[in-house]
Amino acid sequence: SIMSYNGGVVIAMKGKGCVAIAADRRLGVRGHTVAMDFQKIFEMGPHLYVGLPGLATDTITVAQRLKFRLNMYELRENRRITPKTFASVVANLLYERRFGPYFVEPVIAGIDTKTGEPYICNTDLIGCLNEPDDFVVSGTCVEQAFGMCEALWEPDLEPLDLFETISQALVNAFDRDAMSGWGAVVHVIEKDKVTVRTVKTRMD
Amino acid sequence: MTKTTIDLPPKGGFSFDLCRRNAFLESQGTKMPKFRKTGTTIVGLIFKDGVILGADTRATEGEIVCDKNCEKIHYLAPNISCCGAGTAADTENVTDMVSSQLELHRYATGRDSRVVTALTMLKSHLFGYQGAVSAALVLGGVDVTGPHLHAVYPHGSTDTLPFATMGSGSLAAMAMFESRFKEGMTREEGIEVVCAAICAGIFNDLGSGSNVDLCVITKGGKEYLRNYQQPNPRSYTHSKGYHFTSGHTAILSSKIRALRNQVRVVEGDAMEEE
C-alpha cells in the first residue's frame, strides 16, 4: 500500500491544559531503512504543531504548502491562527485534491491561546476532520496505536504524566510494527512552554 | 530566457495536479489507501408537526473504527438539516457547500430557504460528478410549504418519501420503519420509532455503532439532540488506570522553549511630546 511505502506513525493526546504530539523517526523505502532522523512533526505556530505521516514526499510538500497558506493568513489577518481554523485549512488543502490526493493523514495538535483550550484532530487523506476529546493516531501502525492509547489514556493528565503516557503508547505501538520506529520525538505543548524530548527506543 | 510558471492560488473547486502521479503509482501495483467512510445508519421520518432525522455516530476507516462519536447530521439552514452517509469527506464538504449557497440565496431572495432548493443544489452537484462524489444523504426540513423529506443518492437521483433510510444499516432501519410507521405520529412516538430504527442499525450492522443523534425540525424551530441515546458505554477500563512514575521513559535529549508574549512591557520613559 502506498501509505506504508515510507512507514511512520504520529499520535497526539489531550491533557489538562496541555497537548502532546509524538512521532517515530524512521524513513524507509519499503523494507530498507534510509534515515533515522526524519522529521514528521512541523511547527506551524508557537502553540500549533502538525504531524504528517504517510508518503514522505507528500509529508514534505504538504508541510511546505501549509506553511505558505499559514503565512498568507497571518499576513492578511495580522494575528496567529487558531488550531480549529488551521484544521479547516488542512482539510481544504486535502479535499481540493479529492480525485488525486496527497498520501498523508495529518494530525494536528495545539492550544487555543485565547481560551487556553487544548485541541487535537486528525483527518483522512481527503480531509475529513475528526475532533475527539481524547487522542488521535495516524500512520502504519494505527491498529496497535489505537489499542495502546485506548488502554493508557485517561482524562486530565498533567504535562509530565502526559509525556510518559504518550511515549509509552507510541513506543509500544511501533515496536509491534516493522515499518515504523527507530527513535521517537515527543512535543509537549503547554500554555507557556514547549518541551521537545527524544526518547530512547529499540533500533530495529 | 526560461519561462517561469507562477503557481497562482486556486480559485476554488477541485485540483487535479496529482492525478497523473497517482495513476502512475497505481499502475506500478501499489494499493490505493481507503477513505474514511461513515458506514452508517441514517433515517428520516415525517410526523404530525414536522420531520425527525436520526443517525448513528460511528466512522470507519477500512475495518477500524476511527471515530466513536462523529456527527452525521449536518446543518444546511435554520430550518433544514441533512444526514450524510458514504465517504465522510464528501458528505461534509457537499453539505457545507450547499449550506453556503443557501445562505447567499437567502440574502438574494429575502426569504427562508425551501427544502426543494437544497435538494436541487445537491442533486445537480452530485449528478455533475457522475457519482464520483460518494455522498448518500437524507435531507429533511420544514419550510412555508410544509414538512419535506428526501433521500439523495450518490449519482444524483432523489426520492421524496414519508420515511427514508440510507447507509449500510438502512435495511435494518427500514425493517423497523415498515413495521412501526404510521401517518400523523406525535413527537414522542416519532422519536421512539426513529431511535428503534437507529438502534437496529447500531446493533445489527457492523458499519454502524455507538450513539443515537436526533434532529427534530418543526415550524417553530430545530432541536438538535446530540447523543440522545448512548446504548454503548465504554466497558473495558482498568479501574486503577496505568500510572508511570516520572522518569520511567528513557530520554536521549530534552529541550524546553519558553513561549512569551510577543510584546513585553519594559521599563522606560514615555517619549517627550514636542
Side-chain angles (χ1 to χ4, degrees), chain A residues 171-187:
Chain A
V171 169
N172 289 296
F174 70 52
D175 279 348
R176 277 285 189 178
D177 178 29
M179 305 299 281
S180 45
W182 274 270
V185 64
V186 183
H187 300 249

Side-chain angles (χ1 to χ4, degrees), chain A:
Chain A
S1 164
I2 194 70
M3 299 294 283
S4 58
Y5 184 78
N6 292 123
V9 58
V10 177
I11 297 180
M13 282 189 182
K14 254 195 210 181
K16 191 168 188 182
C18 57
V19 283
I21 182 167
D24 70 323
R25 310 200 72 194
R26 177 181 181 269
L27 171 70
V29 172
R30 289 227 175 84
H32 180 105
T33 303
V34 169
M36 298 182 294
D37 58 357
F38 186 64
Q39 186 190 10
K40 293 178 188 109
I41 297 177
F42 299 90
E43 185 192 330
M44 293 284 150
H47 294 94
L48 184 59
Y49 286 77
V50 66
L52 298 163
L55 194 63
T57 172
D58 286 346
T59 297
I60 297 172
T61 305
V62 169
Q64 290 171 349
R65 285 197 191 247
L66 281 176
K67 192 68 191 168
F68 170 73
R69 289 197 182 199
L70 185 71
N71 288 344
M72 292 304 289
Y73 180 94
E74 290 186 353
L75 283 169
R76 277 194 212 106
E77 304 257 332
N78 200 25
R79 63 186 174 97
R80 295 262 181 230
I81 198 169
T82 57
K84 213 163 153 55
T85 311
F86 181 68
S88 289
V89 172
V90 174
N92 178 262
L93 179 79
L94 296 173
Y95 193 71
E96 218 176 21
R97 283 155 182 79
R98 163 68 173 84
F99 300 114
Y102 283 119
F103 296 116
V104 284
E105 298 193 328
V107 168
I108 296 152
I111 293 183
D112 185 340
T113 37
K114 256 205 164 120
T115 60
E117 274 293 301
Y119 178 85
I120 50 169
C121 86
N122 77 336
T123 78
D124 69 347
L125 76 170
I126 45 171
C128 171
L129 281 173
N130 166 26
E131 297 163 317
D133 295 321
D134 39 22
F135 54 84
V136 288
V137 301
S138 189
T140 50
C141 59
V142 269
E143 291 164 55
Q144 296 93 321
F146 268 126
M148 284 307 308
C149 291
E150 197 75 59
L152 298 186
W153 187 86
E154 52 187 67
D156 292 329
L157 284 166
E158 295 294 327
L160 281 172
D161 297 323
L162 185 66
F163 165 72
E164 296 289 336
T165 304
I166 198 175
S167 307
Q168 289 297 316
L170 179 72
V171 169
N172 289 296
F174 70 52
D175 279 348
R176 277 285 189 178
D177 178 29
M179 305 299 281
S180 45
W182 274 270
V185 64
V186 183
H187 300 249
V188 179
I189 306 152
E190 298 165 63
K191 199 153 183 237
D192 57 348
K193 65 178 193 283
V194 172
T195 316
V196 183
R197 296 184 184 88
T198 47
V199 176
K200 185 164 190 234
T201 66
R202 293 169 64 127
M203 302 300 265
D204 60 355

